[in-house]
Amino acid sequence: MGARTLGQPRTDVESCESTQSLIDTSLPEGALVVADHQTAGRGRLGRSWDAPAGTALLFSLLLKPPAERNPREISLVAGVAVADTIERMIELAVQLKWPNDVMLRRTKVAGILAELRDGAVVLGIGMNVNQTREQLPAGAGSLRTASGREWDRETVLQSLLEDLTSRYLAWVEGGLDAVYDGLAPRDFLRGRRVSVDGTSGTAAAIDREGRLLVEVAHGDLRPIESGEVLYER
Ligand code: BTN
């Protein structure tokens, strides 16, 4: 990809079903689709992702990582970049709930969907920016609800594209180790009682392969590769 910032070529649409579907994988790495509104936004595990028009950041980015990298790690890399951006802008600690949720003040402020397609990764990010409390589902927050002010979405997007570029290039070069400094200290689940697809215990850490380590009995750590985490608040 070279040294340029991810985000080119860029397509902006007023409304679409999902920016994920508008990414053409024959485009060069870094291609970006941004929508003001989605009518059928997709979340992980078949869920939907909704936001009122004009309030959120909704975009998809085309990535073509080298074969030696595990593309499943991209959700974590992107989460680190989103956390970097939010912390720099609003000076509140951001946490990452493995594997793909960005948490601010114990509410979900952004979600990440990394889909493998044609050997590439279509990375979708939805960030709640200017939604009011009433416009958000239970358990969700926005930059506005956390900071008490509205944000310019284009400024947030430019900042995030810079952080995504820098964290992604570091990962391409050095793998998850190279971004681990932004991941391990922000582990939202660490120390919490969790249950993931039948495995229950205490979340101990995210390891250097990006797996969630769950302590099921004293000293017995089970690595979880993927799944839906239920946790006690
Ligand atoms: C999740 O938390 O389940 C992931 C949510 C990802 C939502 C974004 S919004 C932009 C892009 N287009 C989609 O349809 N989904 C992703």
Side-chain angles (χ1 to χ4, degrees):
M1 185 194 79
R4 68 189 172 79
T5 303
L6 294 167
Q8 294 294 329
R10 171 170 170 170
T11 306
D12 283 80
V13 295
E14 192 81 12
S15 179
C16 63
E17 287 192 354
S18 162
T19 55
Q20 292 293 94
S21 314
L22 294 185
I23 288 279
D24 173 353
T25 55
S26 67
L27 286 169
E29 176 165 61
L32 174 70
V33 175
V34 185
D36 203 51
H37 182 237
Q38 296 182 127
T39 55
R42 300 203 293 266
R44 267 180 85 238
L45 307 169
R47 298 203 183 100
S48 59
W49 183 269
D50 298 318
T55 62
L57 256 186
L58 308 165
F59 66 92
S60 298
L61 194 58
L62 178 63
L63 299 174
K64 299 189 172 179
E68 67 267 27
R69 294 285 163 248
N70 178 355
R72 299 194 185 283
E73 294 175 0
I74 284 183
S75 291
L76 295 170
V77 177
V80 169
V82 173
D84 290 344
T85 299
I86 298 176
E87 281 188 359
R88 199 175 47 252
M89 286 187 332
I90 74 175
E91 296 176 2
L92 286 173
V94 175
Q95 292 181 299
L96 299 171
K97 178 177 158 282
W98 183 94
N100 76 319
D101 294 349
V102 182
M103 309 292 287
L104 180 60
R105 293 197 154 156
R106 300 162 71 92
T107 59
K108 176 166 170 172
V109 73
I112 294 158
L113 178 68
E115 295 180 322
L116 301 178
R117 202 190 304 158
D118 306 330
V121 176
V122 180
L123 174 70
I125 298 184
M127 188 196 285
N128 300 328
V129 179
N130 288 324
Q131 289 102 316
T132 59
R133 175 66 269 135
E134 296 69 35
Q135 292 174 315
L136 291 161
S142 68
L143 299 191
R144 180 177 180 178
T145 58
S147 66
R149 52 158 283 200
E150 291 189 58
W151 294 84
D152 176 55
R153 285 179 300 153
E154 184 60 28
T155 307
V156 178
L157 175 61
Q158 288 308 324
S159 193
L160 178 51
L161 288 171
E162 279 170 30
D163 286 317
L164 279 167
T165 303
S166 122
R167 291 294 193 174
Y168 176 70
L169 291 180
W171 172 77
V172 166
E173 190 73 18
L176 209 56
D177 264 346
V179 302
Y180 200 67
D181 65 306
L183 181 61
R186 290 176 170 142
D187 183 353
F188 176 81
L189 293 173
R190 188 163 180 215
R192 285 191 155 91
R193 293 284 307 168
V194 295
S195 171
V196 195
D197 299 338
T199 303
S200 298
T202 303
I206 300 167
D207 74 8
R208 286 178 182 267
E209 274 89 63
R211 300 171 303 188
L212 181 70
L213 299 180
V214 177
E215 188 173 42
V216 293
H218 188 65
D220 183 0
L221 291 175
R222 299 276 166 86
I224 309 289
E225 301 275 351
S226 65
E228 169 69 349
V229 183
L230 303 173
Y231 66 95
E232 283 176 15
R233 282 165 195 275

